Structure formats: C-alpha cells, structure tokens
Amino acid sequence: MPRIHGCDVYRVAMPRGRRPESVLVRLAGGDAVGWGEMAVPGGSGDPGRGWADIEERMAPAVVGLEWDRPEDVSAAADFGAREAAAAIDTACWDLWCRTRGLPLAHALGGTRTSIVTGSRISPEPALDTVAARVNRAVGAGHTRVTLDIRPGWDIEPVRTIRQAYPALALVADAGHAYTESPEHMAVLEGLDAYGLAAIERPFPAGDLAAHARLQLRVGTAVAPAVGDLETLDAALRLDAGRALHLRLDRLGGLTAARSAHDLAYAAGWDVWCSGCGAFGIGQAAAVALAALPGCTLPSDVTDPAGGPVFVTPPVRSSGGVVGVPLTQPGLGHEVDEERIERLATRRLRLSA
C-alpha cells in the first residue's frame, strides 16, 4: 500500500438552514482517495472532542504512516474519541479498497447483495402522530421500526403500533431511562406481550447485570448499548442480551464494528446496523457493514429522501431495499468534493 500522503478534514453544514452537520475526512494515498464521516451530535453545532482529536492526534498519526491493511492504522494510531475514530477508520477502508479495486462489502466479508431497511420514530405528543409516522415508514417499504419509549410513554404506543401492524419488526428503544424498580420492571416485562424484535438500552449502559436479569425474565431479546469490544464480551459472558445494534460512530469504525458483528453472530445474537451523519458517506459505510451474514434485522442505512445529495448514487431504498454496491470499489459511491468544498465552514489540510 502507498503511504497516506494527505488528510483533508471538512466541517460541513446542510444548506438552507438545515440542522445536520458532519465532519468529513478525506485521505489520499497513491492515485486514490477514501472518505469517512462523523456526525456533529444532535445538530448542536459543536463537534465536541472529535475535531480536536482529528486535528491534534489522528490526522498527524495517519499521514505518512506505512500500512498494509486498514486494521494496521487503528492498531498504530491513538484514536481517541470513537466518533472521530469512525471517520478516520472508514476513510482508511475506503482508500484501501479503492486502491485494490475491491468493493467494501466484500472486503469486510459481506455476503448480501441487498439490505432490507428499517426506520426510527422519535417520541411524539400524540399517538395519532406516531401512528401516522409509522404508516409513512411502512408505506416506504421499511420492515422494521424502532420506537423511542420513556417511562409513561411505553406500553400504549407499542400496543397501538402492534395492533395496526401485526407483522412489523418492532424495536422499543428505552434510551437508558428505566430502573429495576417494581413499576419499571412491570412495564418492561409487559412489553414482552407485543412480539418485539428487541428492547434496546433499557438500563444505564454500564449496568450489564441489570440487562442480564431482565433477559432472564423476558422472551424478547434485550439489546444493551455496546460501545467497545470489551463491553460486548462482558455482555456475552453475562447473557445480558440477545441482540446488538451496530453503530459505526459508537464503536469507532468499521474495524471494531466488524469484530463486534463476528462475536455477536457466533453467539447467535440478532444484529442490525445504522449509519451516521447526513451526507451519505456514513450511510454507505453502514450498507457495507449490513451486508455481513449476521445482520439479521433490517438496518437504518438510508439517506433522508428529498434531501441534498452528496454521494452518487444516493443511498436510498426502493421499496424498502438498498442494493449493496458490488461493481465499484470502496464505498461504491462518488463523493461530490466540489460541493463539500463550497459548503465547508471549517477546513484542515495535512500532507506528508
């Protein structure tokens, strides 16, 4: 592999006042370039540690680095913030695959030619609004919906959606909001009656023992939050769940996410993926990851329909299915570099 001779970093905001922002990473080596993406949390306008970690640690570590495979980069560099590490790691994989003429999905070990898609529904003040949003998601072809729940907003919305869509794969994401109090446990056990695909993040992230106790009491798969391989290994040993939500930003990139997939797949857990950011690069990486054989549940991998397009072809579903790019190397999408340059509000450029 040629050395990485350049790293460009862009902070980019959607045009016309749209909220999403991302930090995009472009790595150059030989005659190829690779791209990665880090979402700015919650449209806050603050990239947090991510930009500083890339500027001060990660970009200087990778520029000029000798490497044979993407795993060598994550092993050699002190990556810091996982969201920023995910952008660098994804760009390394994209660059490596483009240099070798390999589709990213195949390089990771993917076996699927298409991905069945899901969607997430945020809390709403009225059940009618939730039902309407789920109806739009199902009408668009999505076959899994994740419904955010909170204490006091849990059984009723789940019951409403299940009655309307008996066959829909439904995940209830509790956002770490529950405890093992009798009232909360009664609710979590009550969700077992609605044929959920998973109860995601019911308890605080570090309390795997509570997740294990809940898993003993319900037939629904519990999906604890997993931010690193050590946590996943502990969850597997404790039987603290049976489902894993693979998030590139939470795990620090494709290298760690693929390892997490392999561990969960070997244990018989269900797996689904989601992308990060709104500029198509994070979604394209998630499509490649979701092509792995253990990704058994529909994944959140599509761009918002109707939004600006920064990668060609856009990462969008047709009838709830996204094709895995297998005829083009790397992510399989061309990035609109000119448009990103125009929209960038902050830039960093390092060269060997």
Side-chain angles (χ1 to χ4, degrees):
M1 281 293 296
R3 291 189 180 192
I4 298 171
H5 61 71
C7 177
D8 297 305
V9 189
Y10 307 90
R11 181 173 174 184
V12 186
M14 283 287 186
R16 298 184 297 279
R18 294 171 63 92
R19 289 182 60 83
E21 292 186 63
S22 284
V23 173
L24 307 180
V25 174
R26 178 187 184 273
L27 296 180
D31 297 325
V33 299
W35 287 87
E37 179 172 5
M38 180 192 86
V40 173
S44 64
D46 179 9
R49 285 174 46 205
W51 182 277
D53 274 353
I54 292 174
E55 182 176 23
E56 298 169 9
R57 302 164 61 184
M58 300 183 197
V62 300
V63 172
L65 183 70
E66 292 185 1
W67 63 310
D68 291 320
R69 289 189 55 84
E71 298 92 334
D72 300 336
V73 179
S74 56
D78 182 10
F79 268 7
R82 289 193 182 97
E83 296 84 359
I88 295 282
D89 184 72
T90 298
C92 287
W93 275 98
D94 189 28
L95 174 60
W96 187 83
C97 289
R98 289 181 189 271
T99 300
R100 293 175 175 257
L102 294 173
L104 176 58
H106 279 178
L108 292 171
T111 57
R112 303 178 191 275
T113 59
S114 61
I115 307 302
V116 180
T117 62
S119 182
R120 173 176 290 273
I121 307 298
S122 60
E124 297 287 349
L127 282 174
D128 288 348
T129 305
V130 172
R133 293 189 62 195
V134 173
N135 184 61
R136 287 196 294 271
V138 173
H142 300 304
T143 54
R144 194 215 79 250
V145 164
T146 293
L147 181 67
D148 285 350
I149 63 169
R150 298 293 182 272
W153 178 262
D154 35 46
I155 294 291
E156 191 174 3
V158 167
R159 180 192 299 120
T160 297
I161 301 308
R162 175 53 75 219
Q163 288 175 345
Y165 302 99
L168 180 67
L170 186 59
V171 173
D173 183 1
H176 310 298
Y178 290 78
T179 69
E180 291 186 276
S181 69
E183 295 80 8
H184 285 184
M185 290 300 291
V187 169
L188 295 172
E189 291 179 44
L191 292 173
D192 213 23
Y194 297 101
L196 300 180
I199 301 172
E200 186 178 1
R201 305 188 300 169
F203 303 118
D207 196 352
L208 291 176
H211 289 80
R213 288 188 288 269
L214 177 62
Q215 187 64 89
L216 282 173
R217 296 170 68 168
V218 297
T220 302
V222 174
V226 171
D228 54 62
L229 297 178
E230 291 76 15
T231 299
L232 177 57
D233 184 65
L236 292 169
R237 285 187 281 104
L238 290 171
D239 293 325
R242 293 202 307 269
L244 174 64
H245 180 186
L246 276 182
R247 285 183 47 176
L248 291 174
D249 53 349
R250 185 182 292 165
L251 283 158
L254 290 164
T255 300
R258 182 180 64 172
S259 295
H261 159 275
D262 294 347
L263 289 170
Y265 185 32
W269 284 28
D270 287 319
V271 178
W272 77 101
C273 303
S274 64
C276 55
F279 290 81
I281 296 166
Q283 286 82 4
V287 168
L289 186 65
L292 291 169
C295 296
T296 51
L297 291 174
S299 291
D300 300 323
V301 296
T302 58
D303 281 341
V309 174
F310 295 88
V311 298
T312 304
V315 188
R316 291 183 182 157
S317 68
S318 176
V321 175
V322 174
V324 178
L326 298 175
T327 60
Q328 299 295 322
L331 292 170
H333 301 261
E334 293 304 315
V335 178
D336 190 342
E337 298 189 29
E338 182 179 340
R339 191 174 194 188
I340 287 170
E341 284 278 2
R342 289 200 313 269
L343 292 176
T345 59
R346 189 175 180 184
R347 297 173 180 81
L348 168 68
R349 177 160 293 171
L350 292 179
S351 58

